[in-house]
Amino acid sequence: NAGVMQNPRHLVRRRGQEARLRCSPMKGHSHVYWYRQLPEEGLKFMVYLQKENIIDESGMPKERFSAEFPKEGPSILRIQQVVRGDSAAYFCASSVARATYEQYFGPGTRLTVT
Amino acid sequence: GEDVEQSLFLSVREGDSSVINCTYTDSSSTYLYWYKQEPGAGLQLLTYIFSNMDMKQDQRLTVLLNKKDKHLSLRIADTQTGDSAIYFCAEKTSYDKVIFGPGTSLSVIP
């Protein structure tokens, strides 16, 4: 029973390029959450999605960032025109339902912008 | 607003007990959590407590919740070198959003 999978684990992008981060939730989970962890900081909520719907994007920067969770395939966090300040670890979590107590976390994608 | 605070560092000797403290602001939190993060890894849920409980024990881990003071603590008995990690306190708000603290880096001295 595979856990939450994220790829790539490490991603290096030059300023101005696009970064695409993928998250495959645990089997049977239809709720996905994205968090960002800046160096030496805790996790900050970015966005909460269900299949084909964005439920809460209150933590997403207004520009350059977007997320989707299509009917088929993984959830994608997309960062356009990356800047150095986007360098961080991006974690995805999934849960079986909204009201459940637990979110299962993936190993994260470490984005470095050069 | 929503905020979770923790002290950033804690150092203990192997075999001693560790106590990591956390304060939160949302009085309508439903669940409170402790997560462990080892270097380069994701987050592992250690334990959680429902907001209508005041204590939970799970082997070496004891969680105490003081809802009046919005204070949560994690006690690790007989701390081992393998317990060295960053420990995150988190609360699940009434809007089902999980808010994390900045993490406490626990160093265990052999």
Side-chain angles (χ1 to χ4, degrees):
Chain A
N1 183 17
V4 177
M5 298 173 67
Q6 290 187 248
N7 67 79
R9 293 293 308 276
H10 300 273
L11 182 62
V12 179
R13 284 287 178 264
R14 288 206 175 104
R15 276 182 299 170
Q17 291 185 318
E18 178 180 285
R20 279 184 181 240
L21 288 63
R22 293 175 187 75
C23 169
S24 296
M26 282 183 72
K27 190 175 179 181
H29 288 193
S30 58
H31 299 250
V32 165
Y33 313 80
W34 285 94
Y35 296 86
R36 177 165 64 175
Q37 184 179 32
L38 293 168
E40 309 296 323
E41 291 188 17
L43 277 74
K44 302 294 184 190
F45 168 80
M46 297 181 76
V47 62
Y48 162 36
L49 309 106
Q50 273 185 274
K51 285 281 186 183
E52 299 184 277
N53 287 305
I54 296 174
I55 308 301
D56 180 351
E57 57 181 346
S58 58
M60 286 278 270
K62 293 285 184 275
E63 296 174 351
R64 302 188 297 108
F65 285 72
S66 62
E68 62 176 9
F69 189 16
K71 190 176 178 182
E72 302 289 338
S75 175
I76 308 283
L77 178 68
R78 183 176 174 218
I79 312 172
Q80 293 179 290
Q81 298 175 326
V82 295
V83 300
R84 288 229 173 94
D86 297 331
S87 295
Y90 292 83
F91 290 95
C92 164
S94 73
S95 66
V96 66
R98 182 172 189 159
T100 186
Y101 75 88
E102 185 168 8
Q103 295 178 5
Y104 293 82
F105 279 81
T109 294
R110 277 155 182 83
L111 172 66
T112 302
V113 179
T114 62
Chain B
E2 304 154 338
D3 199 14
V4 177
E5 295 186 352
Q6 305 175 236
S7 52
L8 297 182
F9 301 98
L10 177 65
S11 184
V12 298
R13 291 203 177 276
E14 192 174 16
D16 287 351
S17 290
S18 308
V19 179
I20 304 172
N21 294 301
C22 167
T23 56
Y24 60 96
T25 56
D26 188 345
S27 57
S28 59
S29 294
T30 52
Y31 292 98
L32 294 125
Y33 308 90
W34 285 103
Y35 282 88
K36 177 182 180 183
Q37 185 182 34
E38 297 188 51
L43 272 71
Q44 173 197 353
L45 179 66
L46 275 183
T47 187
Y48 70 96
I49 188 166
F50 191 48
S51 58
N52 69 353
M53 298 168 65
D54 51 24
M55 186 181 103
K56 182 177 181 181
Q57 188 150 2
D58 183 2
Q59 299 183 347
R60 293 190 297 122
L61 305 178
T62 303
V63 178
L64 295 177
L65 174 60
N66 181 329
K67 203 169 177 184
K68 175 175 166 286
D69 295 337
K70 301 193 191 72
H71 182 266
L72 183 74
S73 69
L74 173 70
R75 179 177 180 267
I76 306 172
D78 186 25
T79 313
Q80 303 296 306
T81 53
D83 295 324
S84 293
I86 300 175
Y87 291 80
F88 291 97
C89 170
E91 61 168 339
K92 189 170 192 182
T93 71
S94 52
Y95 296 100
D96 290 328
K97 189 186 298 184
V98 179
I99 309 294
F100 286 83
T104 298
S105 179
L106 174 64
S107 297
V108 182
I109 305 163

